[in-house]
Amino acid sequence: MGSETETVNVEGIPFPAEITVGNPLSLLGTGITDIEIHFLQIKYNAIGVYLHNAGGGDSTTPTLLGHLGAWKGKTAEELLADAAFWAALVAAPVEKLFRVVVIKEIKGSQYGVQLESSVRDRLAAADLYEDDEEEALEKVADFFQSKYFKPGSVVTFHFPAPASASPGPAAEELLADAAFWDALVAAPVENLFRIMHIWDIGGDSAVSPSTVRSLANRFAALLAVAA
């Protein structure tokens, strides 16, 4: 997808430091999803979070760091504990891309159920889970029923700016199947996609604490030197 630059390794999986889709997107956070069972850590996915306009830009284009300017000078620990920062990051009017690479093979039906359950719970907690959202999530789960993700399989969620985002193409087997993306485009995007943002980068509500920690470290450093 687009042009790629040097890579950053996460659990042996290379993530391009920059990806160009419509705009150049910088890798600003990485992590994994995992679970501990009987003191054994099982790693499921590696995650890369790409955002556009980390700095710079003209006077007519909102910049990511400008949008987060209120947190200039904050430490990573302060950012981690500040729900308002993560809400602002989720709402940032910039292009976002989440790249998920499978570490432990999984049936598509299991992945779909996990995604459906997590997003549904977050919609319900925000009092946004209505019939339209339920129908859209069922379409998402149905799409994954026939899939099987081997290690190294890639799923890419692309959210162009502004907030009325639609998903871009996914790599590997998802690339050829437009039905999934058509279902998401037809979904109530303001609710569904905002919750999917929270699922990945929503602070305490995110699915991957290590990714959130990585983002906090990176933004603390970027904001410290922001103009």
Side-chain angles (χ1 to χ4, degrees), residues 159-172:
F159 303 91
S164 56
S166 61
E172 305 270 337

Side-chain angles (χ1 to χ4, degrees), residues 10-91:
V10 181
E11 298 296 325
I13 297 169
F15 282 83
E18 184 176 279
I19 294 177
T20 298
V21 186
N23 294 293
L25 307 177
S26 299
L27 179 63
L28 296 184
T30 60
I32 61 171
T33 59
D34 64 342
I35 189 172
E36 187 174 297
I37 301 177
H38 300 304
F39 305 104
L40 177 65
Q41 184 189 30
I42 300 175
K43 301 171 183 177
Y44 288 103
N45 302 309
I47 297 173
V49 176
Y50 294 82
L51 301 171
H52 175 55
N53 214 12
D58 58 47
S59 59
T60 63
T61 304
T63 67
L64 180 58
L65 296 187
H67 179 76
L68 300 174
W71 289 272
K72 180 177 172 63
K74 298 293 184 180
T75 66
E77 294 300 325
E78 288 173 323
L79 295 181
L80 278 171
D82 192 340
F85 170 78
W86 299 105
L89 180 58
V90 167

